[in-house]
Amino acid sequence: MKTRVITAAVLLPLLLIAVLFLPKVITAIAFGALAAAAAYEFLYNTALVQHPRLIAYSAAMAFLTALWSCYGSEYTWAMVGILAFFGVLFGEMMASHVKISVEKVAYCLMAGLLLPYLLSSVVRIHSWRLGRYYILIPFVLAFLSDTGAYFAGRAFGRHKLAPVISPNKTVEGMLGGILGAILGMLIYGVVVQVFFRLKVNYLYALVYGVLGSGAAVFGDLCFSVIKRQTGIKDYGNVIPGHGGVLDRFDSMMAVGPLAELLLLLIPVVY
């Protein structure tokens, strides 16, 4: 627990500096690197795919997806990248005389395109007019939900939420996560209203907190299922006390796109 807290205390300010004060392309590069590392963890560390070139293609596509998101998801370049990725994956399958299975190609498409696109929601949000304020929302939802669930679960956890998938998760922890996300969104609203003179809809902030916390739990459980099926404890060990990139950003895969959608439909700050 001590290592987990220290690591979060060091890395979170660095992450906030990167997304708040550095040019958006730097944020895209940072998240591209995270997406590439996540692709490697998803394929190699789970042993789902251990073909070196397939992993390299997937990691490269993951990185490029973040850059593509930075520049407004421009359709033409997206199609060029997707076609090239599709071509090299199926080219490898045919060159191997069908020794590379279609399942492995599907895993690569998931690791190189789907998951990076979900994670890159943060990059897309950052590119909007109020993006420097909006970009904090998915982090508030994911991290404070996780923190609230962690401490509430340790203190009050009695009833298992998903004992087969994630034995440590409890109903009490989930409720603590919801409260943590709601509190985080209310504090966020006060800060941007008082210090940046923006208007805040606090009813929407409550909605964001509830839905965002639910998405965080769902994202966490999705990647826990994969860990159980592949027989691993963590996706990696690059983040002390947390595991791998996917162990830390699993909830963001669901929270980020949800925050992007909510901001388009019911902006909490304007």
Side-chain angles (χ1 to χ4, degrees), residues 8-188:
V10 172
L11 293 182
L12 187 56
L14 294 176
L15 184 61
L16 290 177
I17 289 171
V19 299
L20 289 176
F21 302 110
L22 296 180
K24 66 178 184 178
V25 68
I26 302 299
T27 300
I29 290 171
F31 273 85
L34 290 173
Y40 175 85
E41 291 176 352
F42 181 82
L43 297 174
Y44 186 81
N45 290 353
T46 59
L48 291 173
V49 176
Q50 294 190 308
H51 188 288
R53 288 194 300 277
L54 292 183
I55 293 172
Y57 300 147
S58 301
M61 186 64 195
F63 180 81
L64 292 174
T65 298
L67 293 184
W68 163 47
S69 295
C70 176
Y71 292 103
S73 303
E74 210 282 329
Y75 179 79
T76 303
W77 288 111
M79 286 305 300
V80 169
I82 292 171
L83 280 173
F85 189 43
F86 179 88
V88 295
L89 291 180
F90 279 89
E92 288 283 355
M93 176 190 282
M94 289 183 280
S96 72
H97 303 291
V98 204
K99 291 180 182 178
I100 294 176
S101 66
V102 68
E103 287 86 358
K104 293 189 186 312
V105 171
Y107 293 142
C108 290
L109 287 169
M110 184 174 179
L113 191 57
L114 174 59
L115 298 183
Y117 187 77
L118 295 177
L119 183 61
S120 295
S121 58
V122 175
V123 178
R124 292 189 293 277
I125 291 171
H126 193 209
S127 68
W128 296 351
R129 183 177 65 85
L130 295 177
R132 289 193 182 276
Y133 307 105
Y134 287 160
I135 197 172
L136 293 175
I137 292 174
F139 291 104
V140 168
L141 293 173
F143 292 165
L144 289 187
S145 175
D146 181 60
T147 301
Y150 180 76
F151 286 106
R154 284 178 63 90
F156 309 109
R158 298 291 183 275
H159 302 89
K160 299 295 184 182
L161 179 65
V164 175
I165 299 172
S166 187
N168 293 328
K169 280 191 170 44
T170 62
V171 174
E172 293 81 2
M174 181 186 69
L175 295 176
I178 293 173
L179 291 177
I182 290 174
L183 180 61
M185 283 302 302
L186 293 177
I187 294 173
Y188 162 82

Side-chain angles (χ1 to χ4, degrees), residues 1-13 240-242:
M1 177 179 173
K2 182 179 178 180
T3 303
R4 182 185 180 95
V5 172
I6 292 173
T7 301
V10 172
L11 293 182
L12 187 56
H242 294 268

